[in-house]
Amino acid sequence: MNEKDREFWGEVCQDLIAESQKAISPLIGSEEGGKIVKIGADGTPTTLIDNLAEKRVMEVLEGVDRSLILISEEIGEVVVGNGQPEVIMVVDPLDGTSNAVKNIPAYGISVAVAPILDKKVPVTVKDIQLGIVKNYATGDIYSAFKGKGAFINGLNIKPSSKNDLSQVSLGAYVYRMDMGKIEVLCKSVRRMRILGAVAIELAYVADGTYDAFVDVRDNLRIVDIAAAKLILEECGSTITDRFGRDLKTKLNVLGKTSLIATCNSSIHGEIMGILEGM
């Protein structure tokens, strides 16, 4: 993706983020926003606020004069525009839905863009060249272009320099995990946080708010992490699946993985040692 294309798609992303935020604002903190309206393409319930966010994303993209493939949790995979699609855009229209309807200040949007270079070759999460995560509650925008670094509100970010696991602040998704090993991990770190907004929590690893984030259920949706993965890589964090392998899942609405994201390889190795074999 050249500089001109990065600028174009970056502006499209910023537009859909702003418009989507406007669409959901009246439903923040409302019981109505949390009402289930359908089952999404990923097989999970879609709330009214999720549905409104995605509809506004679609409206913005339908006004773009270049073709793309949209991958989103509720709508699935759809071609937008005429002609051969140039990019795949992976969107989680509302990261942290439950937080949004309860007005807990950790909810936002995740947008990632990957060019389609050869329609015969599957596009994977490794091909993403632009990633943006916005925390609507705080207004913070995390962004990254491949090879250009990672930023918060336009300023360079880097992960923490912690090398002592006992001093680490850890974010995690623990539902249905082996609680015996989670207990060992919890006792090994200084503190643990569970916010229920994975894209934002991964961005927190990128800027040093967290030192690590763990989800080893093999059920973490690629849609949720597509943008944050690039942000983590561009700031120098270490991110793999639970076996220590690079993430390279094909971009689709059903793609899932496990994930261990840390401030550096030393902390990553210690956490891998505790969770080995899960």
Side-chain angles (χ1 to χ4, degrees):
M1 188 182 292
N2 60 38
E3 188 67 32
K4 186 176 180 180
D5 286 339
R6 283 198 298 266
E7 183 177 340
F8 175 84
W9 291 111
E11 289 176 356
V12 170
C13 291
Q14 293 288 0
D15 189 24
L16 71 83
I17 288 170
E19 290 300 315
S20 184
Q21 184 173 8
K22 288 178 187 177
I24 68 169
S25 290
L27 292 176
I28 299 299
S30 74
E31 185 176 342
E32 180 186 6
K35 291 181 179 178
I36 306 299
V37 295
K38 65 176 183 177
I39 299 299
D42 66 347
T44 62
T46 299
T47 66
L48 176 60
I49 196 170
D50 287 315
N51 203 39
L52 284 178
E54 187 168 77
K55 281 185 176 180
R56 191 66 189 114
V57 166
M58 276 295 298
E59 289 169 1
V60 171
L61 295 180
E62 286 170 347
V64 174
D65 61 0
R66 293 163 70 171
S67 184
L68 66 126
I69 296 173
L70 172 65
I71 296 176
S72 184
E73 292 178 0
E74 325 310 337
I75 201 171
E77 184 174 325
V78 60
V79 176
V80 182
N82 299 315
Q84 178 64 36
E86 298 179 29
V87 302
I88 292 178
M89 186 173 289
V90 184
V91 183
D92 182 355
L94 187 55
D95 176 48
T97 300
S98 296
N99 292 342
V101 298
K102 295 179 183 297
N103 203 19
I104 297 170
Y107 57 89
I109 189 170
S110 168
V111 186
V113 180
I116 302 173
L117 301 177
D118 183 343
K119 63 182 181 180
K120 296 181 180 180
V121 178
V123 180
T124 75
V125 69
K126 290 174 67 68
D127 298 313
I128 291 168
Q129 293 198 15
L130 165 62
I132 302 175
V133 173
K134 182 175 183 181
N135 184 339
Y136 286 151
T138 64
D140 289 326
I141 300 176
Y142 298 83
S143 61
F145 285 113
K146 193 165 188 176
K148 302 293 183 179
F151 308 86
I152 179 172
N153 304 325
L155 301 175
N156 284 99
I157 54 175
K158 61 181 180 180
S160 80
S161 57
K162 297 280 179 65
N163 282 298
D164 183 350
L165 188 61
S166 68
Q167 297 302 307
V168 160
S169 293
L170 172 73
Y173 192 101
V174 300
Y175 183 57
R176 292 181 177 173
M177 286 174 62
D178 182 328
M179 297 312 295
K181 291 187 178 181
I182 287 299
E183 182 179 4
V184 174
L185 183 57
C186 289
K187 289 179 177 179
S188 301
V189 300
R190 183 177 183 183
R191 62 175 64 90
M192 188 170 185
R193 298 286 185 263
I194 303 173
L195 295 184
V198 65
I200 292 171
E201 292 183 274
L202 289 174
Y204 283 170
V205 177
D207 75 353
T209 302
Y210 282 4
D211 303 302
F213 180 86
V214 170
D215 185 337
V216 292
R217 301 167 301 141
D218 294 315
N219 199 41
L220 180 57
R221 293 169 295 200
I222 289 297
V223 172
D224 294 333
I225 67 167
K229 174 185 179 289
L230 180 64
I231 295 169
L232 284 162
E233 290 173 338
E234 286 297 312
C235 75
S237 299
T238 301
I239 177 170
T240 71
D241 67 12
R242 67 186 178 98
F243 301 106
R245 303 174 303 200
D246 288 343
L247 304 182
K248 52 186 178 181
T249 306
K250 181 181 176 181
L251 292 180
N252 61 62
V253 73
L254 298 178
K256 295 181 180 180
T257 187
S258 55
L259 183 144
I260 299 175
T262 62
C263 54
N264 56 55
S265 59
S266 176
I267 295 298
H268 188 275
E270 289 194 61
I271 291 176
M272 283 278 296
I274 292 172
L275 299 178
E276 186 177 4
M278 285 189 65

